[in-house]
Amino acid sequence: MKLTQLAYKTLRDTGSDAETSSHALLLQAGFIHQLGAGIYSYLPLALKAIKNIESIIRYEMDKTGAQEILMPHIQPQELWDLTGRTTAFGDNLFTLKDRRQRGLVLAPTHEESVTTISKSIIQSYKDLPFTLYQIQTKFRDEARPRAGLIRVREFSMKDAYSFSANEDSLDEIYESMAIAYKNIYQKCEIPVLMAEADSGAIGGKDSHEFIYPTESGEDTVITCSNCQYTANVEKAIGILPAENHDTEAPQAEISTPGVTTIEEVCNFLNINANQTLKSLCYSADGQLVMVCIRGDLNINEVKLKHILNATELRAASTAEIEQEGLVLGSMSPLGISNINIIGDTSIVTKKNLTAGGNKPGTHIVNINYQRDFHVNQIADISTVTEMHLCNECNGKLEAVRGIEIGHIFKLGSFFSESLGLHFTDQDGKQQFPLMGCYGIGVGRLLAAVVESNHDDKGIIFPKNVSPYQVHLIALNANDETCYEKAHAIYDSLWDHGVTCLFDDRTDQSAGVKFRDSELFGIPLQVIVSPRNLNNDICEIKLRKTLETYSVPLGETIDHIVNSI
RNA sequence: CGGGGUGUAGCGCAGGGGUAGCGCGCCUGUUUUGGGAACAGGAGGUCGUAGGUUCAAAUCCUAUCACCCCGACCA
């Protein structure tokens, strides 16, 4: 491709809207164009890179034996009603009506359709296992699109869906997918953490996320500095060192007018937050639940939801709390017996805590679990912090921000049961296949490639992803000899099967050409100029290091072919 | 959905009742050509949208829309 023919426009300034490096660079290099919030076009250079990422993914999927299919984006809403996901996705679901006013869904993912398709394929255990995958656009009406390609409303995703007759088969496929994913990230030169993840509303046995660590990410992963333990903070468990060596002191009521928050209590009494007991109320499927935790920690609502086996969990409203006679700001489990109370394990790690007095403007000091109050259940419901130690090895835990660039799930039989997909096993009994699903956001992967491979001058593409293999620059394309020689190299490279972008512009200075080549990030640059031609050489420049060296003109093609 | 911010030329921004501005980019010409060239000339705007106030609105008021950031949300 010649630059004089390429539809592109590089920008001198990065757009003021762009906060993350991938967003800024993809805009500045003219790779993407925004049409609306979270709605982007991929321009020619970006699409080349996307296609390369897709072919890496296809190769790794095909290697596992997965088979590619295409499915409809527009799906009957009835299908989604069967699995209850019309409600589960809620406002995130794009819906529309056809001319007969029948409800349709713009598919945010494809479990419903792939499961339905499989009903026509699976009858016997002999038909299992198999894995289907797709690389297709998905639609989600995200509450807040952000950061360029990181969180968008229309996006391309590779999703694979496996169907197995038994757990062993599912485990085997899951394992092979994890390996394929690691290979994909490696080829894209993106470092990843494989983290245990919450399996979400649908449940299922195992789930792992692949997280690219970066400050601009939306997820937090807890990782052990000593062992392999890595988990999303939603799921992570840790242990708090017990500090309950003190002897239990007599409790005493203290007047604390106007003091309601943990911070205010600490300031008022000049104590640390870890010497307080924090009590909160939640509404779990309409039932009020009191939750107690050490004051310096936070509730992990995902864990709490699991403990309560609740489908809907939210903070209780002031009205709901007061209806039970509880006092906001001075709430505690002291003397409370008519409400379900869950205590975090942290409340037994320390003695002589300070808690609310269940009367306005009152707190009680030196309260101790069991001596002074009881709960219905002690459970791990805290969000792991760097104060926690690793549950596996007692090592130090670290919190890392990152972008989720892949997620694999063991779904179990949820979809096969709700959509009536079954098979006959060896004993002639009807069974539901066990499913797994394995997703990678393709556009997000491109963003992650750029995030993890750039410098202050522009993108530095890994060679497997780069839109072209070589960026050929005719420094002075006005010079007839220079242009012709460069053009000969261009033709020859294509003849040798090397893809090449040719900066043949006659109206741009050397500086502009170098800047653009650095923005585009094609790994290998070839510089042809009158000066070089006079010396009978050609210059090779590596984008990553910006290192330059000369090769004899006659050996240019061979050299390039050998070095890519 | 809450909080904050921004909408003026392709991009980045200034201007705050009285002729629509700057830088970059764009077009034409001349000279240039190894790190975002110089000079000369030129094109490009219903100032997000709709109402209102006013002799007069990009500017003041009201509403509304869009986009960005933080949070909530998020298989």
Coordinates of all heavy atoms in Angstrom, one line a residue, chain B residues 42-70:
Chain B
rG42 P -5.5 37.1 -0.2 OP1 -6.5 38.1 -0.7 OP2 -4.9 37.2 1.1 O5' -6.1 35.6 -0.4 C5' -6.9 35.4 -1.5 C4' -7.3 33.9 -1.5 O4' -6.1 33.1 -1.2 C3' -8.3 33.4 -0.5 O3' -9.6 33.7 -0.9 C2' -8.1 31.9 -0.7 O2' -8.6 31.4 -1.9 C1' -6.6 31.8 -0.8 N9 -5.9 31.5 0.5 C8 -5.1 32.3 1.3 N7 -4.7 31.7 2.4 C5 -5.2 30.4 2.3 C6 -5.1 29.3 3.2 O6 -4.5 29.2 4.3 N1 -5.8 28.2 2.7 C2 -6.5 28.1 1.6 N2 -7.1 27.0 1.3 N3 -6.7 29.2 0.7 C4 -6.0 30.3 1.1
rA43 P -10.8 33.9 0.2 OP1 -11.9 34.6 -0.4 OP2 -10.2 34.3 1.5 O5' -11.2 32.3 0.4 C5' -11.8 31.7 -0.8 C4' -11.9 30.2 -0.5 O4' -10.6 29.7 -0.1 C3' -12.8 29.9 0.8 O3' -14.1 29.9 0.4 C2' -12.3 28.5 1.2 O2' -12.8 27.5 0.3 C1' -10.8 28.6 0.9 N9 -10.0 29.0 2.1 C8 -9.5 30.2 2.4 N7 -8.8 30.2 3.6 C5 -8.9 28.8 4.0 C6 -8.4 28.1 5.1 N6 -7.7 28.7 6.0 N1 -8.7 26.8 5.2 C2 -9.4 26.3 4.2 N3 -9.9 26.8 3.1 C4 -9.6 28.1 3.1
rG44 P -15.2 30.4 1.5 OP1 -16.6 30.3 0.8 OP2 -14.8 31.7 2.0 O5' -15.2 29.3 2.6 C5' -15.6 28.0 2.4 C4' -15.1 27.1 3.5 O4' -13.7 27.3 3.6 C3' -15.7 27.4 4.9 O3' -16.9 26.8 5.1 C2' -14.6 26.8 5.8 O2' -14.8 25.4 5.9 C1' -13.3 27.1 5.0 N9 -12.6 28.3 5.5 C8 -12.7 29.6 5.0 N7 -11.9 30.4 5.6 C5 -11.2 29.6 6.6 C6 -10.3 29.9 7.5 O6 -9.8 31.0 7.8 N1 -9.9 28.8 8.3 C2 -10.4 27.5 8.1 N2 -9.9 26.6 8.9 N3 -11.3 27.2 7.2 C4 -11.7 28.3 6.5
rG45 P -18.3 27.6 5.3 OP1 -19.3 27.0 4.5 OP2 -17.9 29.1 5.2 O5' -18.6 27.3 6.8 C5' -17.7 26.9 7.8 C4' -18.4 26.9 9.1 O4' -17.6 27.7 10.0 C3' -19.8 27.5 9.1 O3' -20.7 26.8 10.0 C2' -19.6 28.9 9.6 O2' -20.7 29.5 10.3 C1' -18.4 28.8 10.5 N9 -17.5 30.0 10.5 C8 -17.6 31.1 9.8 N7 -16.7 32.0 10.1 C5 -16.0 31.4 11.1 C6 -14.9 31.9 11.9 O6 -14.3 33.0 11.8 N1 -14.5 31.0 12.8 C2 -15.1 29.7 13.0 N2 -14.5 29.0 14.0 N3 -16.1 29.3 12.3 C4 -16.5 30.2 11.4
rU46 P -22.0 26.2 9.4 OP1 -22.4 24.9 10.1 OP2 -21.8 26.2 7.9 O5' -23.1 27.3 9.7 C5' -23.1 28.0 10.9 C4' -24.2 28.9 10.9 O4' -25.2 28.6 10.0 C3' -24.9 29.0 12.3 O3' -24.3 29.9 13.1 C2' -26.4 29.4 11.9 O2' -26.5 30.8 11.8 C1' -26.5 28.7 10.5 N1 -27.1 27.4 10.6 C2 -28.5 27.3 10.3 O2 -29.2 28.3 10.1 N3 -29.0 26.0 10.4 C4 -28.3 24.9 10.6 O4 -28.9 23.8 10.7 C5 -26.9 25.1 10.9 C6 -26.4 26.3 10.9
rC47 P -24.3 30.0 14.6 OP1 -25.4 29.3 15.2 OP2 -24.1 31.5 14.7 O5' -23.0 29.3 15.0 C5' -22.9 27.9 15.4 C4' -21.9 27.7 16.5 O4' -20.8 28.7 16.3 C3' -22.5 28.0 17.9 O3' -22.3 26.8 18.7 C2' -21.9 29.3 18.4 O2' -21.7 29.3 19.7 C1' -20.6 29.4 17.5 N1 -20.3 30.8 17.2 C2 -19.3 31.4 17.9 O2 -18.6 30.8 18.7 N3 -19.0 32.7 17.6 C4 -19.7 33.4 16.7 N4 -19.4 34.7 16.5 C5 -20.8 32.8 16.0 C6 -21.0 31.5 16.3
rG48 P -22.1 26.2 19.9 OP1 -22.7 26.6 21.1 OP2 -20.6 26.2 19.7 O5' -22.6 24.7 19.5 C5' -22.4 24.2 18.2 C4' -23.4 23.0 18.1 O4' -23.2 22.1 19.2 C3' -24.8 23.3 18.0 O3' -25.3 23.6 16.7 C2' -25.5 22.0 18.5 O2' -25.5 21.0 17.4 C1' -24.5 21.6 19.5 N9 -24.9 22.0 20.9 C8 -24.2 22.7 21.8 N7 -24.8 22.9 22.9 C5 -26.0 22.2 22.8 C6 -27.1 22.0 23.7 O6 -27.2 22.4 24.8 N1 -28.1 21.2 23.1 C2 -28.0 20.7 21.8 N2 -29.1 20.0 21.5 N3 -27.0 20.9 21.0 C4 -26.0 21.6 21.5
rU49 P -26.3 24.9 16.5 OP1 -25.9 25.4 15.2 OP2 -26.3 25.7 17.7 O5' -27.8 24.2 16.4 C5' -28.0 22.9 16.2 C4' -29.3 22.5 16.9 O4' -29.0 22.0 18.2 C3' -30.3 23.6 17.1 O3' -31.1 23.8 16.0 C2' -31.1 23.0 18.2 O2' -32.0 22.0 17.8 C1' -30.1 22.3 19.1 N1 -29.6 23.1 20.2 C2 -30.4 23.1 21.3 O2 -31.4 22.5 21.4 N3 -29.9 23.9 22.4 C4 -28.7 24.7 22.4 O4 -28.4 25.3 23.3 C5 -28.0 24.6 21.1 C6 -28.4 23.8 20.1
rA50 P -31.8 25.2 15.8 OP1 -32.5 25.2 14.5 OP2 -30.9 26.3 16.2 O5' -33.0 25.2 17.0 C5' -34.0 24.3 16.8 C4' -35.0 24.4 18.0 O4' -34.3 24.0 19.2 C3' -35.4 25.8 18.4 O3' -36.5 26.2 17.5 C2' -35.8 25.7 19.8 O2' -37.1 25.0 19.9 C1' -34.7 24.7 20.3 N9 -33.6 25.5 20.9 C8 -32.4 25.8 20.3 N7 -31.6 26.5 21.2 C5 -32.3 26.5 22.4 C6 -32.0 27.1 23.6 N6 -30.9 27.7 23.9 N1 -32.9 26.9 24.6 C2 -34.1 26.3 24.3 N3 -34.5 25.8 23.2 C4 -33.5 25.9 22.2
rG51 P -36.9 27.7 17.5 OP1 -37.7 27.9 16.3 OP2 -35.7 28.6 17.8 O5' -37.8 27.8 18.8 C5' -38.2 29.0 19.4 C4' -38.5 28.8 20.8 O4' -37.5 28.0 21.5 C3' -38.4 30.1 21.6 O3' -39.6 30.9 21.4 C2' -38.1 29.6 23.0 O2' -39.3 29.1 23.6 C1' -37.2 28.5 22.7 N9 -35.8 29.0 22.7 C8 -34.9 29.0 21.6 N7 -33.8 29.5 21.9 C5 -33.8 29.8 23.2 C6 -32.9 30.4 24.1 O6 -31.7 30.8 23.8 N1 -33.4 30.6 25.3 C2 -34.6 30.3 25.8 N2 -34.9 30.5 27.0 N3 -35.5 29.7 25.0 C4 -35.1 29.5 23.7
rG52 P -39.4 32.3 20.8 OP1 -40.7 32.8 20.4 OP2 -38.3 32.3 19.9 O5' -38.9 33.1 22.1 C5' -39.8 33.1 23.3 C4' -39.0 33.4 24.5 O4' -37.8 32.5 24.6 C3' -38.4 34.8 24.7 O3' -39.4 35.7 25.0 C2' -37.4 34.6 25.7 O2' -38.0 34.5 27.0 C1' -36.8 33.2 25.4 N9 -35.6 33.3 24.6 C8 -35.4 32.9 23.3 N7 -34.2 33.1 22.9 C5 -33.5 33.7 24.0 C6 -32.2 34.1 24.2 O6 -31.3 34.1 23.4 N1 -32.0 34.6 25.5 C2 -32.9 34.7 26.5 N2 -32.5 35.2 27.7 N3 -34.2 34.3 26.3 C4 -34.4 33.8 25.1
rU53 P -39.4 37.2 24.4 OP1 -40.6 37.9 24.7 OP2 -38.9 37.1 23.0 O5' -38.2 37.8 25.2 C5' -38.4 38.0 26.7 C4' -37.1 38.6 27.3 O4' -36.0 37.6 27.1 C3' -36.6 39.8 26.5 O3' -37.3 41.0 26.9 C2' -35.2 39.8 27.0 O2' -35.0 40.3 28.3 C1' -34.8 38.3 27.0 N1 -34.2 37.9 25.7 C2 -32.9 38.1 25.5 O2 -32.2 38.7 26.3 N3 -32.4 37.7 24.3 C4 -33.1 37.1 23.3 O4 -32.5 36.8 22.2 C5 -34.5 37.0 23.5 C6 -35.0 37.3 24.7
rU54 P -37.8 42.0 25.8 OP1 -38.6 43.1 26.5 OP2 -38.5 41.2 24.7 O5' -36.5 42.6 25.2 C5' -35.6 43.3 26.1 C4' -34.4 43.6 25.4 O4' -33.6 42.4 25.1 C3' -34.5 44.3 24.0 O3' -34.8 45.6 24.0 C2' -33.2 43.9 23.3 O2' -32.2 44.8 23.8 C1' -32.9 42.5 23.9 N1 -33.4 41.5 23.0 C2 -32.4 41.0 22.1 O2 -31.3 41.4 22.0 N3 -32.9 40.0 21.2 C4 -34.1 39.5 21.2 O4 -34.4 38.6 20.3 C5 -35.1 40.0 22.1 C6 -34.6 41.0 23.0
rC55 P -35.9 46.3 23.1 OP1 -36.1 47.7 23.5 OP2 -37.1 45.3 23.0 O5' -35.2 46.3 21.7 C5' -35.9 46.5 20.5 C4' -35.0 46.6 19.3 O4' -34.2 47.8 19.4 C3' -34.0 45.5 19.1 O3' -34.6 44.4 18.5 C2' -32.9 46.1 18.3 O2' -33.2 46.2 17.0 C1' -32.9 47.5 18.9 N1 -31.9 47.7 20.0 C2 -30.5 47.7 19.7 O2 -30.2 47.6 18.5 N3 -29.6 47.9 20.7 C4 -30.0 48.0 21.9 N4 -29.1 48.1 22.9 C5 -31.4 47.9 22.3 C6 -32.3 47.8 21.3
rA56 P -34.2 42.9 19.1 OP1 -34.9 41.9 18.2 OP2 -34.5 42.9 20.5 O5' -32.7 42.8 18.8 C5' -32.2 42.7 17.5 C4' -30.7 42.8 17.5 O4' -30.2 44.0 18.1 C3' -30.0 41.7 18.3 O3' -29.9 40.4 17.6 C2' -28.6 42.3 18.6 O2' -27.8 42.1 17.4 C1' -29.0 43.7 18.8 N9 -29.1 44.1 20.2 C8 -30.3 44.3 20.9 N7 -30.1 44.6 22.1 C5 -28.7 44.6 22.3 C6 -27.8 44.9 23.3 N6 -28.3 45.3 24.6 N1 -26.5 44.9 23.1 C2 -26.1 44.6 21.9 N3 -26.8 44.3 20.8 C4 -28.1 44.3 21.0
rA57 P -30.1 39.1 18.3 OP1 -30.0 38.0 17.3 OP2 -31.2 39.1 19.2 O5' -28.7 39.0 19.3 C5' -27.4 39.0 18.7 C4' -26.6 37.9 19.3 O4' -26.6 38.1 20.7 C3' -27.2 36.5 19.1 O3' -26.1 35.6 19.1 C2' -28.0 36.3 20.3 O2' -28.2 34.9 20.7 C1' -27.2 37.0 21.4 N9 -28.0 37.4 22.5 C8 -29.3 37.5 22.7 N7 -29.7 38.0 23.9 C5 -28.5 38.2 24.5 C6 -28.2 38.7 25.8 N6 -29.1 39.1 26.7 N1 -26.9 38.8 26.2 C2 -26.0 38.5 25.3 N3 -26.1 38.0 24.0 C4 -27.4 37.9 23.7
rA58 P -25.4 35.1 17.8 OP1 -24.8 36.3 17.2 OP2 -26.5 34.4 17.0 O5' -24.3 34.0 18.2 C5' -24.7 32.7 18.6 C4' -23.7 32.2 19.5 O4' -22.4 32.4 19.0 C3' -23.7 32.8 20.9 O3' -24.6 32.1 21.8 C2' -22.3 32.7 21.4 O2' -22.1 31.4 21.9 C1' -21.5 32.8 20.1 N9 -21.0 34.2 19.8 C8 -21.4 35.0 18.9 N7 -20.7 36.2 18.9 C5 -19.9 36.0 20.0 C6 -19.0 36.9 20.5 N6 -18.7 38.1 20.1 N1 -18.3 36.5 21.6 C2 -18.5 35.3 22.1 N3 -19.4 34.3 21.6 C4 -20.0 34.8 20.6
rU59 P -25.5 32.9 22.8 OP1 -26.2 31.9 23.6 OP2 -26.2 33.9 22.1 O5' -24.4 33.6 23.8 C5' -23.5 32.8 24.6 C4' -22.5 33.7 25.3 O4' -21.9 34.5 24.2 C3' -23.2 34.7 26.2 O3' -22.4 34.8 27.4 C2' -23.2 36.0 25.5 O2' -23.1 37.1 26.3 C1' -22.0 35.9 24.6 N1 -22.1 36.7 23.3 C2 -21.3 37.7 23.1 O2 -20.4 38.0 23.9 N3 -21.5 38.4 22.0 C4 -22.4 38.1 21.0 O4 -22.5 38.8 20.0 C5 -23.3 37.0 21.3 C6 -23.1 36.3 22.4
rC60 P -22.9 33.9 28.7 OP1 -21.8 34.2 29.7 OP2 -23.2 32.6 28.2 O5' -24.2 34.7 29.1 C5' -24.2 35.8 30.0 C4' -25.6 36.1 30.4 O4' -26.2 36.9 29.3 C3' -26.6 35.0 30.6 O3' -26.4 34.4 31.9 C2' -27.9 35.6 30.4 O2' -28.3 36.4 31.5 C1' -27.6 36.6 29.2 N1 -27.8 36.0 27.9 C2 -29.2 35.8 27.5 O2 -30.1 36.1 28.3 N3 -29.4 35.3 26.3 C4 -28.4 35.0 25.5 N4 -28.7 34.5 24.2 C5 -27.0 35.2 25.8 C6 -26.8 35.7 27.0
rC61 P -26.9 32.9 32.2 OP1 -26.5 32.6 33.6 OP2 -26.3 32.1 31.1 O5' -28.4 32.9 32.0 C5' -29.2 33.6 33.0 C4' -30.7 33.3 32.7 O4' -31.0 33.9 31.4 C3' -31.1 31.8 32.5 O3' -31.3 31.2 33.7 C2' -32.3 31.9 31.6 O2' -33.5 32.3 32.4 C1' -32.0 33.1 30.7 N1 -31.4 32.7 29.4 C2 -32.2 32.2 28.4 O2 -33.4 32.1 28.7 N3 -31.7 31.8 27.2 C4 -30.4 31.9 27.0 N4 -29.9 31.5 25.9 C5 -29.5 32.4 28.0 C6 -30.0 32.8 29.2
rU62 P -31.0 29.6 33.9 OP1 -31.2 29.3 35.3 OP2 -29.8 29.3 33.2 O5' -32.2 29.0 33.1 C5' -33.6 29.1 33.5 C4' -34.5 28.5 32.5 O4' -34.4 29.2 31.2 C3' -34.2 27.1 32.1 O3' -34.6 26.1 33.1 C2' -34.9 26.9 30.8 O2' -36.3 26.7 31.0 C1' -34.7 28.3 30.2 N1 -33.5 28.3 29.2 C2 -33.7 27.8 28.0 O2 -34.8 27.4 27.6 N3 -32.6 27.9 27.2 C4 -31.3 28.3 27.5 O4 -30.4 28.3 26.7 C5 -31.2 28.8 28.8 C6 -32.3 28.8 29.7
rA63 P -33.8 24.7 33.2 OP1 -34.3 24.0 34.4 OP2 -32.3 25.0 33.1 O5' -34.2 23.9 31.9 C5' -35.6 23.5 31.8 C4' -35.8 23.1 30.3 O4' -35.4 24.2 29.4 C3' -35.0 21.9 29.8 O3' -35.5 20.7 30.2 C2' -35.1 22.1 28.3 O2' -36.4 21.7 27.8 C1' -35.0 23.6 28.2 N9 -33.6 24.1 28.0 C8 -32.7 24.6 28.8 N7 -31.5 24.9 28.3 C5 -31.7 24.5 27.0 C6 -30.8 24.5 25.9 N6 -29.6 25.0 25.9 N1 -31.3 24.0 24.7 C2 -32.5 23.6 24.6 N3 -33.5 23.5 25.6 C4 -33.0 24.0 26.8
rU64 P -34.6 19.4 30.5 OP1 -35.4 18.3 31.0 OP2 -33.4 19.9 31.3 O5' -34.1 19.1 29.0 C5' -35.1 18.6 28.0 C4' -34.5 18.6 26.7 O4' -34.0 20.0 26.4 C3' -33.2 17.8 26.5 O3' -33.5 16.4 26.2 C2' -32.6 18.4 25.3 O2' -33.2 18.1 24.1 C1' -32.8 19.9 25.6 N1 -31.7 20.5 26.3 C2 -30.6 20.9 25.5 O2 -30.6 20.7 24.3 N3 -29.6 21.5 26.2 C4 -29.5 21.8 27.5 O4 -28.5 22.3 28.0 C5 -30.7 21.4 28.2 C6 -31.7 20.8 27.6
rC65 P -32.5 15.3 26.8 OP1 -33.3 14.0 26.9 OP2 -31.8 15.8 28.0 O5' -31.5 15.2 25.6 C5' -31.9 14.9 24.3 C4' -30.8 15.2 23.3 O4' -30.5 16.7 23.3 C3' -29.5 14.6 23.6 O3' -29.4 13.2 23.2 C2' -28.5 15.5 22.8 O2' -28.6 15.2 21.4 C1' -29.1 16.9 23.0 N1 -28.5 17.5 24.2 C2 -27.2 18.2 23.9 O2 -26.7 18.1 22.8 N3 -26.6 18.8 25.0 C4 -27.2 18.8 26.2 N4 -26.6 19.5 27.1 C5 -28.4 18.2 26.4 C6 -29.1 17.6 25.4
rA66 P -28.4 12.2 23.9 OP1 -28.8 10.9 23.4 OP2 -28.4 12.5 25.4 O5' -27.0 12.7 23.3 C5' -26.7 12.6 21.9 C4' -25.4 13.2 21.6 O4' -25.5 14.6 22.0 C3' -24.3 12.7 22.4 O3' -23.8 11.5 21.9 C2' -23.3 13.8 22.3 O2' -22.7 13.9 21.1 C1' -24.2 15.0 22.5 N9 -24.3 15.5 23.8 C8 -25.4 15.3 24.7 N7 -25.2 15.9 25.9 C5 -24.0 16.6 25.7 C6 -23.3 17.4 26.6 N6 -23.7 17.7 27.8 N1 -22.1 17.9 26.2 C2 -21.7 17.6 24.9 N3 -22.3 16.8 24.0 C4 -23.4 16.3 24.5
rC67 P -23.2 10.3 22.8 OP1 -23.0 9.2 22.0 OP2 -24.0 10.2 24.1 O5' -21.7 10.9 23.2 C5' -20.7 11.0 22.2 C4' -19.6 11.9 22.7 O4' -20.2 13.2 23.1 C3' -19.0 11.5 24.0 O3' -18.0 10.4 23.8 C2' -18.3 12.8 24.5 O2' -17.2 13.1 23.7 C1' -19.4 13.8 24.2 N1 -20.3 14.0 25.3 C2 -19.9 14.9 26.3 O2 -18.8 15.5 26.2 N3 -20.6 15.2 27.4 C4 -21.8 14.5 27.5 N4 -22.6 14.8 28.5 C5 -22.3 13.6 26.5 C6 -21.5 13.4 25.4
rC68 P -17.7 9.4 25.0 OP1 -16.9 8.3 24.4 OP2 -18.9 9.1 25.8 O5' -16.7 10.3 25.9 C5' -15.5 10.7 25.5 C4' -14.8 11.6 26.5 O4' -15.6 12.8 26.8 C3' -14.7 11.0 27.9 O3' -13.6 10.1 28.0 C2' -14.5 12.2 28.8 O2' -13.2 12.7 28.7 C1' -15.5 13.2 28.1 N1 -16.9 13.1 28.7 C2 -17.1 13.8 29.9 O2 -16.1 14.4 30.4 N3 -18.3 13.8 30.5 C4 -19.3 13.2 29.9 N4 -20.5 13.2 30.5 C5 -19.1 12.4 28.7 C6 -17.9 12.5 28.1
rC69 P -13.7 8.9 29.0 OP1 -12.6 8.0 28.7 OP2 -15.1 8.3 29.0 O5' -13.5 9.6 30.4 C5' -12.2 10.2 30.7 C4' -12.3 10.8 32.1 O4' -13.3 11.9 32.0 C3' -12.8 10.0 33.2 O3' -11.8 9.1 33.8 C2' -13.3 11.0 34.2 O2' -12.2 11.6 34.8 C1' -13.9 12.0 33.3 N1 -15.4 11.8 33.1 C2 -16.2 12.3 34.1 O2 -15.7 12.8 35.1 N3 -17.6 12.1 34.0 C4 -18.1 11.5 32.9 N4 -19.4 11.3 32.8 C5 -17.2 11.0 31.9 C6 -15.9 11.2 32.0
rC70 P -12.2 7.7 34.4 OP1 -11.0 7.0 34.6 OP2 -13.3 7.2 33.6 O5' -12.8 8.1 35.8 C5' -12.0 8.8 36.8 C4' -12.9 9.1 38.0 O4' -13.8 10.1 37.7 C3' -13.8 8.0 38.5 O3' -13.1 7.0 39.3 C2' -14.8 8.7 39.3 O2' -14.2 9.1 40.6 C1' -15.0 9.9 38.4 N1 -16.2 9.7 37.5 C2 -17.5 9.9 38.0 O2 -17.6 10.2 39.2 N3 -18.5 9.6 37.2 C4 -18.3 9.3 35.9 N4 -19.4 9.1 35.2 C5 -17.0 9.1 35.4 C6 -16.0 9.3 36.2

